[in-house]
Structure formats: C-alpha cells, structure tokens
Amino acid sequence: MQVVVTAVGPDNVGLADPIIHYVTGQGANIAEIQMYDHDEEALFAMLLRIEVDPEQLPLLRKAMLEIGRLKNLSVRVWSPDERPRPRIAICATYRTETPVALLRAIRDGVLKAEAAVMIGNRQTCRGLAEQFGVPWEYIGRGEGRADDDRMMQVCDDYNVDYIVLARYMRVLPAASCWKYAGGRIINLHHGLLPGFPGFRPYQDAFASRMLTFGATCHFIVPELDAGNQIINQTTFTVQPGAKLEDIIRRGQEDNEPRCLVEGVRRVVDREVQLHFHRIVATKA
C-alpha cells in the first residue's frame, strides 16, 4: 500500500529524524522523501512517500500523530489506496462553470469520486452546492480574503482525498501546499502553461496576437503556476479578429470545464501521480 506522510510546522532542529526512524524501523520502503526549510516563513515541511503493509496503517497513523504532538507538527497520513471512490473538495470563488462540470461528471459516473464538500471564499456557489446536495463551507474573511487554516481544517474534517481548485481565485500559502502535498491539490489555470501564467492569461495571450487559447489542469506546488506538473491541457482556435470577450466566454463556458474534468479523471483513475514534483504515468 502506498502511503504519503506530510509534516508541517515551525522550523526547528530534529524534526525529521523521529518520522524517518519510525517508518524505517517498521520495515517500510521509502519511495520518495522531500524536506523544505522556508527561511522567510520559518516553516519546516516534509513529505514522505512509503510502501507499507495495509495492516500497518492504523498503527502508523497513531505513531505519526503522537510524533506531531511532541514536535509541534501538523502531520497527515494518507493513502490513495484506501477507498475506491476518493473524496474531493471542490473550491470555487465566482465562476460556476467548472464546479458544475465536476458535479455533473460525478453524478453521471464520469468521475468515480465523491463530492465531499464545496468550499468558497465567496458565497457565489452556495446555491450550486445546495442544488447538488453537497455540504457548503464558507471560508471568506471579507473582500474575498480566505481563511487558509480554516480551509485545511474543513478538508480534514470531511476526510478529503483531493482538493480541486475549480477557478478558486486565491493563492494557497506554502504551508497549505505542503499539508496536502504529494499530488493531492489539483488546480485549473485558465491559460496555457508555462507560456501564460498569472491572473490574466486570456488578455496576455490576446495581446500577443495568439490564435490558440487554452486551459491547464495541474498539480499544485508552492511555486505559482510553475508549469512542470501538468495533468491535462485543452485548447481552442479562433479566427483572426476575434473579440476578446468572445474568446473568454468560449474558454470559460466550454474549454475550462472540459480541461478540468479530464484532468481530475486522470488523477482519480490513478493514471498519473506526482513524484518528486514531476508527473509520472501509473498505468500503461
């Protein structure tokens, strides 16, 4: 069984040793280990991907939580092998097209997953959650600001496997990224990466006189739109002289939802995963 352990907390000495010593002492095979020391935030973060016997998982969780308590670390133990239908959190701000596409794909069996919760830093998508019978959690703090700690707590409370940022227009802090590291946060960027990062990719591509526009579904790592973790990309071509507003509408209503649904499908069907910040195929 594949298991991902993440540990995040205030930087200090001797934080990684007890975790590594425990898993190796239990005979676990370490497939990936990463450690980060963010000096500007005084943040320690660690990811450990291991192979263990399924019967060891309960004891592993108990031991990791105790180490976290002793070392003042936020520790999570997760396995993509635990359940056949992973639980996802759908995070949104204003746009409804991509959350609707995900919810319909789940309802229709295209995505073999469960919509565990919808999370918003605005109340725009609350009615959508109610329409599909999905719990709604508002984490806004006024003027679109988000309570990032509350977001992580909600995902923990709902036992979420994957966080899907469906045009969630907030940048996650490094601590949040590492708490759900290892390919557990999926983002829809409304432009083609790596060429058009940032918040205005349609406008930037239009200003460059592009005739092909697109969207990118990728795993989240701390570097914004880093571009090396691409799961899926979809494009559409326009005629010379097309108006920007028509391009944006076509992208938002058709291309972005299509891109995100297929990207999430590839992840929940275990076709791809993130390994050392690179996409690897897990199926032939």
Side-chain angles (χ1 to χ4, degrees), residues 219 266 270-275 278-284:
F219 287 118
R266 292 179 181 182
R270 304 290 300 280
E271 292 182 4
V272 298
Q273 69 175 10
L274 191 66
H275 188 67
R278 291 291 184 271
I279 296 287
V280 296
T282 54
K283 289 185 178 180

Side-chain angles (χ1 to χ4, degrees), residues 13-241:
V13 297
L15 298 179
D17 291 347
I19 295 175
I20 295 173
H21 288 163
Y22 179 85
V23 299
T24 54
Q26 297 301 309
N29 177 48
I30 298 178
E32 177 181 358
I33 183 169
Q34 299 185 49
M35 284 183 284
Y36 297 86
D37 184 359
H38 296 267
D39 293 333
E40 67 278 7
E41 301 180 39
L43 175 71
F44 168 84
M46 176 181 179
L47 177 146
L48 199 65
R49 191 187 306 273
I50 59 178
E51 294 287 339
V52 299
D53 189 300
E55 296 181 356
Q56 292 181 296
L57 188 57
L59 287 177
L60 175 65
R61 278 206 170 100
K62 183 177 180 181
M64 292 298 103
L65 289 175
E66 178 61 17
I67 291 173
R69 186 186 68 81
L70 293 173
K71 295 293 186 178
N72 193 27
L73 293 171
S74 176
V75 178
R76 286 163 180 80
V77 178
W78 170 75
S79 173
D81 301 322
E82 267 195 284
R83 52 176 69 91
R85 295 178 64 88
R87 295 169 57 81
I88 67 173
I90 301 174
C91 305
T93 300
Y94 288 119
R95 308 298 317 178
T96 60
E97 295 91 347
T98 43
V100 165
L102 288 172
L103 291 167
R104 286 176 176 168
I106 291 171
R107 179 198 63 193
D108 298 341
V110 175
L111 289 180
K112 298 177 179 64
E114 298 178 23
V117 62
M118 283 192 68
I119 300 172
N121 63 310
R122 301 274 188 178
Q123 293 281 15
T124 308
C125 293
R126 185 186 191 110
L128 180 61
E130 294 171 353
Q131 176 186 343
F132 281 85
V134 178
W136 169 259
E137 295 286 347
Y138 175 60
I139 60 166
R141 301 177 63 183
E143 299 181 352
R145 292 178 300 165
D147 187 335
D148 297 307
D149 290 337
R150 172 65 180 152
M151 181 183 186
M152 294 294 100
Q153 186 60 56
V154 167
C155 291
D156 289 343
D157 291 344
Y158 283 89
N159 199 19
V160 163
D161 292 294
Y162 298 103
I163 300 172
V164 180
L165 308 180
R167 286 299 297 269
Y168 178 73
M169 304 305 288
R170 304 295 300 179
V171 177
L172 298 186
S176 296
C177 293
W178 295 125
K179 286 175 182 178
Y180 272 71
R184 299 184 66 187
I185 308 179
I186 304 165
N187 183 52
L188 187 279
H189 175 68
H190 50 303
L192 286 175
L193 295 176
F196 296 99
F199 292 100
R200 293 170 57 85
Y202 286 114
Q203 290 83 350
D204 293 341
F206 185 80
S208 298
R209 301 185 182 276
M210 298 293 293
L211 295 180
T212 298
F213 296 78
T216 303
C217 178
H218 65 102
F219 287 118
I220 282 287
V221 297
E223 297 82 12
L224 176 62
D225 297 335
N228 293 325
Q229 301 79 33
I230 294 172
I231 304 166
N232 185 42
Q233 287 183 310
T234 54
T235 63
F236 62 98
T237 301
V238 302
Q239 293 295 322

